[in-house]
Structures are given as C-alpha cells and as structure tokens.
Amino acid sequence: MIKEIANNIFYVGVNDRQKSLFENLWPLPSGVSYNSYLINDEKTALIDTVDVCYSDIFFKKIDSVLNGRPLDYLIVNHMEPDHAGSIRLLRQYYPDVQIVGNKQTFAMLAGYHHISEGLHEVKEGDKLELGKHCLSFYMAPMVHWPEVMMTYDETEKVLFSADAFGTYGTINGGVIDTEMNVEPYWNEMIRYYSNIVGKYGNPVQRALKKLETLDIQTICSTHGPVWREYKDKAIEIYDRFSRYEGENGVTIIYGSMYGNTEQMAEAIACSLANNGVKNIAMHHVCKTHSSYILGDVFKYKGLIIGSPTYNGQIFPEIDSILKKIETREVKNRLFGYFGSFTWAGMAVKRLAAFAETMQWEVIGEPVEQKQSINDEVQAQCLALGKAMAARL
C-alpha cells in the first residue's frame, strides 16, 4: 500500500508476514512492518529503507511516487539491518542519491555497505530544506543504537522517530491510527519496548526531553502504525516505561518440574487476589516465551519469582530470565521470592543474590519448600502474597 499521510509525505513501507522471530529472538505471531516514508517536494527525500528481503516491492513503491523524478536524499535515522538493509541496492538504483546521517551513521554505513561517498553529515539541530518541507535533526543515541537520530518535518509537524514508539505487528490495510483498531498494538508496544529498548531508560528520557520542545502532530515510527490521534499515549508509554514506573499489579514467574513449585505460585496468587490485587500475570518459564514475561516485568510494579533447585543450582530457565532482567537494568520493583528442593536447597539463595544485585525492595519473607507443599508452607505463601498486596 502507498498512503499519503501528510501533504506530500507518503508511506512506502512493507509488511513482513513471514518472519517468525524478530532478531531471531522475539516471537512475531502477528508479523511486523518495516516503515519507510517518502517526501515528494522540490527535492525528494526517503526516510529509512526496509529489510533487503522486501526491496523489490519497496523500490516499486518509490518509483510509483517519484514517477520518473530523481531521489535526492536518503535520510538514515537508524542503521539496524531491518531498516538499512536496502541501502546498498538503493544506491545502485539511484546512484546520485545523497545519504544523510551523522558521524556514527557513516561509520556503520561503511561497515555494513562499504559506502563512503555521497554523504551529507548532519549534527544536532541542523536543517535540510526540500522546498516547502524543512527537516531538522535530533540525535537520540542509544535509543537503541548509538547512531540513532530523529528527523522532524517542521512544515507538517511530523516526527520520524526511528524505532521509538514502534510495535510488533503488521499494519493491516490502514496505516494511520485513525484508520484502525489500535488496541492490539499497545501490549505489542510494551513487549517491543521491554525486549528491544528496555535497557536504555536514561537515553530514552534524554530523547523525550528534546521532543518536548517540538510541536508534534504525527509520529512516524519504523514499526507499527503512524500515530496521530494516539500520539500522546505512545509518548506516555515510553515516558513511563523509561522511568521504570510500573502499574499496580504483580507478575509471578516460576519454574516447576512436577508441579510442587507451581502449587506455591498458585497459593501466592490466590492470596494476592484475596487481598485486593486484580492485575496478576502468571508465567511458567517453560511455557511462556521470555518476550512476554519481560513485557509484564516492565508493566507491573510487583514481581515474585519462584524456582526449584536443579542439579544443585537454580532451575535453568529461571536463571535465563533472571539474566534477561539483569541485562535490562529494570529499576524500582517490589520483589518477593520462593523456591523448593528435594535434598539440598539452592534456588532461594540464588534469588536472594539476584534481589541484592537489582537493589530492589524485598517484600515479605522468602518461602522455601522441601519436597511437597504442607500447611506451614501454604501459610508462608499466603503471607508473602498478603505482604505484597499490602505494600502495593
């Protein structure tokens, strides 16, 4: 689809309904879009490209909009291959195109595509006149790569935001949020943020401070819908999550081989509900992909993790999710933990060390179960849930 989203600004992106894992890590049950935008003014400018697998469809869309005109500029906001993968082919197709980016961009451009000529370097606040459209550039390093920048069309009040405010999921027919039911995209935005951007809360906050000075009427991300009616909500989600401000609720993560640790998790969840907590997300690490677990860790303020001991260590899949949470440097969580063992306990000790590493507030007393649940352990689980509910 080609869609004019503002005066002489056209959506020329593509949908990927084939890929099953984003970055070969994160599930894509609803696919993903690679968004690119073309400004057709006195000078023409393409903003980002698409995954090279879709370059044929992509180039046909560009040709259709240009209708024989040259492409003057390619603006590279982000060098990740799902957006920059078609640059080398684009340069072959339009050999005179000037590639606009910053110093960090050009180092990556040489590394990925061996391109070092026909470059136009921009710095913070620089402008590029296309005719009626005037573009200005704002550096956003580590949102979520070091070369990332955002491009603002001062004429149409459109922000081309690179990966920021993006979501998983294809865009199905409509392109602008006013043309579709956006409800499915909010959880996918949270999942995308927690999976891809989550570690970089401070850089996101710095970028948002810059955007406060701009009159933004439309946000064009490189993934997902064009935000217009819901642009403020998209910004609010990024603001809240980059401050690690969780909603009132609890995520329970647990591993269980034979159901004994799971019974502890069930008792804690019942206690939370009985004490007024309505938002409770439960994840068995062997059943739920870490992509979704991380989304709920970012979403809710409370986190309770339980694990059996396995080979004298913590359960491997719990260890994996702990490392993913540590990597994202999640802050300000209320934390409870529990564990079980058959002959020698280790899981609770590992979870205690994790709590210390994260510097979270530990709620209630940790619960450790030997073999199967009994009345004493049940009471301790109920007490842990009650303590978390009270603290929330």
Side-chain angles (χ1 to χ4, degrees):
M1 78 199 85
I2 298 171
K3 173 79 175 181
E4 187 171 10
I5 59 172
N7 186 35
N8 288 326
I9 301 177
F10 296 86
Y11 175 87
V12 291
V14 299
N15 282 317
D16 185 345
R17 303 182 191 278
Q18 306 302 316
K19 189 179 272 95
S20 58
L21 292 174
F22 192 74
E23 297 182 337
N24 266 342
L25 286 170
W26 315 111
L28 293 172
S30 300
V32 69
S33 69
Y34 310 122
N35 299 343
S36 175
Y37 308 90
L38 180 58
I39 303 175
N40 195 15
D41 203 338
E42 293 173 23
K43 293 287 187 178
T44 59
L46 180 69
I47 299 167
D48 292 309
T49 70
V50 303
D51 190 297
V52 69
C53 298
Y54 293 89
S55 58
D56 183 52
I57 298 170
F58 178 53
F59 292 156
K60 288 178 181 177
K61 292 184 175 187
I62 296 170
D63 285 348
S64 178
V65 175
L66 292 179
N67 194 26
R69 298 186 66 202
L71 180 62
D72 296 302
Y73 297 107
L74 167 65
I75 296 165
V76 181
N77 283 331
H78 186 21
M79 273 298 302
E80 199 167 4
D82 55 333
H83 308 299
S86 297
I87 289 179
R88 191 183 316 180
L89 290 176
L90 187 81
R91 171 56 75 80
Q92 293 172 9
Y93 207 80
Y94 298 100
D96 297 325
V97 66
Q98 290 283 301
I99 300 178
V100 179
N102 57 67
K103 187 176 181 180
Q104 295 265 34
T105 308
F106 295 152
M108 293 185 182
L109 191 65
Y112 274 113
H113 297 296
H114 314 297
I115 293 174
S116 57
E117 296 180 349
L119 309 180
H120 179 90
E121 183 178 348
V122 292
K123 299 177 182 177
E124 183 78 24
D126 283 356
K127 297 183 186 298
L128 181 65
E129 298 281 354
L130 301 178
K132 294 181 180 179
H133 295 258
C134 178
L135 306 181
S136 54
F137 303 94
Y138 298 88
M139 304 302 118
M142 302 318 302
V143 185
H144 59 110
W145 277 25
E147 88 300 351
V148 170
M149 67 182 191
M150 299 184 187
T151 301
Y152 178 63
D153 184 332
E154 297 179 1
T155 309
E156 295 296 322
K157 315 299 183 189
V158 175
L159 178 72
F160 301 95
S161 62
D163 274 351
F165 314 114
T167 79
Y168 298 130
T170 57
I171 46 180
N172 305 323
V175 173
I176 304 170
D177 58 7
T178 53
E179 304 171 326
M180 63 183 77
N181 173 18
V182 297
E183 286 307 311
Y185 292 103
W186 298 125
N187 278 335
E188 289 295 75
M189 178 180 282
I190 292 168
R191 192 164 68 93
Y192 182 89
Y193 181 92
S194 63
N195 296 175
I196 309 300
V197 189
K199 177 181 174 67
Y200 303 108
N202 288 335
V204 170
Q205 280 291 304
R206 287 193 288 271
L208 290 174
K209 291 296 181 186
K210 293 181 182 182
L211 301 184
E212 286 178 355
T213 65
L214 305 178
D215 178 12
I216 300 170
Q217 298 300 315
T218 304
I219 297 176
C220 293
S221 175
T222 47
H223 296 294
V226 169
W227 300 113
R228 183 167 293 158
E229 181 179 353
Y230 294 96
K231 61 181 173 58
D232 291 339
K233 182 170 181 176
I235 293 171
E236 186 273 331
I237 287 174
Y238 263 64
D239 180 39
R240 178 159 45 87
F241 277 68
S242 61
R243 288 186 284 105
Y244 305 96
E245 183 182 298
E247 297 176 18
N248 198 335
V250 179
T251 302
I252 300 175
I253 307 169
Y254 68 95
S256 189
M257 290 177 283
Y258 301 109
N260 294 301
T261 314
E262 186 171 65
Q263 290 183 53
M264 300 174 75
E266 295 283 7
I268 293 167
C270 286
S271 179
L272 288 167
N274 289 339
N275 286 281
V277 178
K278 294 184 177 180
N279 294 319
I280 303 170
M282 295 188 68
H283 297 291
H284 191 318
V285 287
C286 296
K287 296 285 285 184
T288 307
H289 193 278
S290 62
S291 170
Y292 298 92
I293 298 174
L294 288 169
D296 282 336
V297 170
F298 271 80
K299 187 173 184 179
Y300 294 123
K301 188 183 301 183
L303 175 60
I304 300 175
I305 301 180
S307 173
T309 296
Y310 188 86
N311 283 342
Q313 302 293 329
I314 200 165
F315 192 59
E317 295 304 315
I318 289 290
D319 191 49
S320 177
I321 196 65
L322 295 184
K323 289 175 180 175
K324 289 180 174 67
I325 295 170
E326 286 179 19
T327 298
R328 284 157 180 78
E329 301 177 7
V330 181
K331 298 176 178 60
N332 306 326
R333 290 298 173 265
L334 306 174
F335 185 57
Y337 57 99
F338 62 99
S340 65
F341 67 96
T342 293
W343 64 88
M346 182 54 66
V348 166
K349 293 179 182 178
R350 171 69 177 91
L351 289 168
F354 170 75
E356 187 173 339
T357 297
M358 300 304 295
Q359 299 182 338
W360 289 339
E361 180 182 347
V362 175
I363 305 301
E365 293 295 325
V367 185
E368 188 169 40
Q369 168 182 280
K370 184 175 182 180
Q371 293 153 9
S372 64
I373 198 166
N374 56 36
D375 290 344
E376 182 181 357
V377 170
Q378 177 94 1
Q380 291 171 352
C381 290
L382 296 176
L384 175 55
K386 184 177 182 179
M388 179 64 78
R391 182 64 181 83
L392 286 171

